[in-house]
Amino acid sequence: MTKSLEGIKILDFTHVQAGPVCTQLLAWFGADVIKIERPETGDVTRSQLRDIPNVDSLYFTMMNGNKRSITLDIKNPHGHQVLEELIKICDVLVENFAPGVLDRMGFNWEKILAINPKIIVASVKGFGPGPFEDCKVYENVAQCTGGAASTTGFRDGIPLVTGAGIGDSGTGVHLALGIVAALYQRTHSGKGQRVLASMQDAVLNLCRVKMRDQQRLGRGPLTEYSQFGEGIPFLDAVPRSANDSGGAQPGKVLKCKGWETDPNAYIYFITQARVWDKICKVIGREDWISDPDYAKPSKRLTHLHEIFDTIEAWTVGYTKFELMDLLNREDIPCGPILSMKDLIEDDALYATGTLVKVDHPERGEYVTIGQPVKLSDNEVKVVRSPLLGEHTDEILTDVLGFDARRVAHLKASGATGPRILQVA
């Protein structure tokens, strides 16, 4: 079986979402990810938002598939020693502790590099170097400080955060790319290095079109924003754009059949200029094709409300899926608003491995996200998350080569869990 990252060992010191998403991606590419967890409690998300009592939550299971778990008390001198041994043989150490935690554990960059000069230490932090460097950051904080919230929502409403985890999961994806780049660089430099992905930086990278617009705004109004057509003045910062498309083609979310009872019976409709004639024919307004007030994109800007109201009067006669079929036959860009229920019931997503059903010894079958990046020659099966400490003995013996006597001594010392007997 071919695996892209075959032979790469990842020491996973991550928790919650940003870090675990990164290491899970690497595991899906074939890396051996060894998750270090605190004895008895483990990753805090094992117990957060539980839907089944005393069973690992979906929050944990969906972020930690394809990994091995070892419990280790780093404050215990024997546990500290085991961690040193793991650092010696691993290619990458990934952490998303609060600023300074790794240093206080006795493993600053200089010490880690002395143990293994080829290791890559990859970190998720809230901010990069600067005045906020030591501040803690969570998903919504990242969206606010990275520019996403200020540009999300309706222009006469408050800033909004998106439901997508662009702060946490988005940063994890960025960090994974940085790690792969560092691994490749090591093949010709022979040296390890540090990789940093700050959550603010990652969100801002995902908001690059808004930074584009901020600079354009200094030279005049943003004509593709609906407020331009409505004659509403722009201020000095990029406004919240509601459901405007963000490109040069006006777009809007429109009602579909059943919208009165279904909160997701909507479709995103783009009035792309090159298919304007087709749009007019489909909705029964062929007179707009030659009408000077509608024939050219620049003229249509002041009539967008009327245009989309007319299109919506037509879309409400069809379901969002009927519209998807009908409009795509005419090459008219659109997209149904798919709910999580729609997606989890979509057989096509299971066929491609985007969604995967896995069995868990305690919770039974559950659905998890599969590899979002498809490689034609990376055959890694998505498997369940590990139980807490499930692979402790396996890692100590098979990975570190400890004999039975040393493993027993470690367990007795409390390095891997509660002390079971006194050790001299």
Side-chain angles (χ1 to χ4, degrees):
M1 182 174 286
T2 302
K3 298 179 181 179
S4 303
L5 295 180
E6 182 80 53
I8 297 296
K9 282 187 167 51
I10 311 288
L11 196 54
D12 184 357
F13 244 132
T14 71
H15 55 287
V16 191
Q17 186 178 164
V21 164
C22 167
T23 52
Q24 182 169 250
L25 281 170
L26 299 173
W28 283 338
F29 284 126
D32 180 11
V33 176
I34 299 169
K35 187 175 179 73
I36 307 291
E37 298 191 76
R38 290 174 296 179
E40 299 188 81
T41 56
D43 188 321
V44 66
T45 59
R46 284 185 183 270
S47 59
Q48 283 186 342
L49 305 176
R50 274 181 170 149
D51 55 319
I52 303 175
N54 302 315
V55 173
D56 287 340
S57 71
L58 286 166
Y59 196 0
F60 176 84
T61 61
M62 293 182 67
M63 309 281 179
N64 291 282
N66 289 69
K67 303 179 185 180
R68 297 197 278 180
S69 170
I70 177 175
T71 49
L72 209 56
D73 180 0
I74 309 305
K75 294 179 180 178
N76 181 301
H78 298 283
H80 194 94
Q81 218 172 40
V82 171
L83 181 55
E84 287 194 11
E85 294 295 318
L86 284 167
I87 290 173
K88 284 180 185 178
I89 64 167
C90 283
D91 299 280
V92 185
L93 184 155
V94 188
E95 60 91 14
N96 64 332
F97 292 120
V101 170
L102 203 58
D103 291 359
R104 292 195 294 272
M105 289 169 56
F107 288 95
N108 59 25
W109 164 243
E110 290 73 22
K111 177 172 180 177
I112 293 172
L113 194 64
I115 296 170
N116 181 354
K118 292 187 174 183
I119 199 167
I120 291 151
V121 176
S123 303
V124 170
K125 291 293 176 275
F127 296 96
F132 303 134
E133 184 174 1
D134 294 328
C135 298
K136 287 185 178 180
V137 174
Y138 298 94
E139 173 66 52
N140 289 357
V141 175
Q143 290 193 33
C144 291
T145 59
S150 72
T151 58
T152 303
F154 291 89
R155 61 175 174 269
D156 55 352
I158 63 170
L160 294 176
V161 295
T162 175
I166 62 173
D168 277 323
S169 290
T171 306
V173 173
H174 281 80
L175 188 65
L177 174 61
I179 289 169
V180 172
L183 284 170
Y184 180 76
Q185 185 175 352
R186 192 181 69 176
T187 62
H188 53 81
S189 73
K191 297 187 298 184
Q193 63 178 297
R194 285 182 287 183
V195 179
L196 170 67
S198 89
M199 295 173 73
Q200 182 188 42
D201 290 358
V203 172
L204 181 54
N205 184 45
L206 296 174
C207 292
R208 62 174 58 201
V209 296
K210 300 301 182 180
M211 186 59 73
R212 170 205 69 190
D213 292 349
Q214 182 62 40
Q215 296 172 86
R216 293 172 55 226
L217 186 57
R219 297 181 177 89
L222 306 174
T223 58
E224 76 280 9
Y225 282 62
S226 57
Q227 74 181 71
F228 173 76
E230 296 169 31
I232 298 173
F234 286 82
L235 301 179
D236 61 355
V238 174
R240 288 183 273 288
S241 56
N243 288 315
D244 291 345
S245 70
Q249 311 294 336
K252 191 173 182 180
V253 172
L254 304 177
K255 297 172 183 173
C256 302
K257 181 187 285 186
W259 68 272
E260 299 92 342
T261 56
D262 181 355
N264 294 297
Y266 290 85
I267 193 164
Y268 195 83
F269 193 108
I270 299 176
T271 54
Q272 191 176 36
R274 70 179 185 84
V275 292
W276 175 247
D277 290 5
K278 291 183 177 181
I279 292 170
C280 294
K281 291 175 182 177
V282 164
I283 66 172
R285 289 303 306 262
E286 295 187 40
D287 57 301
W288 281 354
I289 297 174
S290 57
D291 189 320
D293 287 335
Y294 301 90
K296 294 186 179 297
S298 59
K299 295 291 186 180
R300 292 196 287 272
L301 289 174
T302 57
H303 297 280
L304 286 180
H305 270 313
E306 179 193 350
I307 289 170
F308 281 117
D309 285 349
T310 302
I311 296 173
E312 188 173 65
W314 174 77
T315 60
V316 293
Y318 302 87
T319 69
K320 60 188 179 184
F321 297 109
E322 290 171 340
L323 288 167
M324 186 68 170
D325 290 339
L326 194 158
L327 294 171
N328 275 280
R329 283 201 298 269
E330 300 297 329
D331 203 27
I332 298 170
C334 64
I337 307 303
L338 297 180
S339 67
M340 288 298 117
K341 183 176 184 296
D342 291 328
L343 292 166
I344 204 169
E345 294 174 353
D346 188 341
D347 291 339
L349 296 178
Y350 294 93
T352 59
T354 299
L355 290 178
V356 182
K357 293 179 181 178
V358 294
D359 287 314
H360 189 278
E362 295 179 344
R363 75 162 35 252
E365 185 180 81
Y366 67 96
V367 175
T368 189
I369 306 297
Q371 173 62 284
V373 182
K374 312 296 194 289
L375 275 66
S376 63
D377 195 21
N378 182 69
E379 301 176 33
V380 180
K381 180 182 178 182
V382 174
V383 298
R384 66 167 175 86
S385 61
L387 301 176
L388 179 60
E390 180 177 351
H391 305 96
T392 299
D393 287 3
E394 181 180 301
I395 291 166
L396 293 175
T397 56
D398 296 349
V399 177
L400 292 176
F402 292 177
D403 59 26
R405 185 173 180 276
R406 187 170 180 185
V407 171
H409 188 271
L410 280 169
K411 288 184 173 182
S413 74
T416 61
R419 187 188 298 269
I420 58 175
L421 58 86
Q422 190 66 36
V423 175

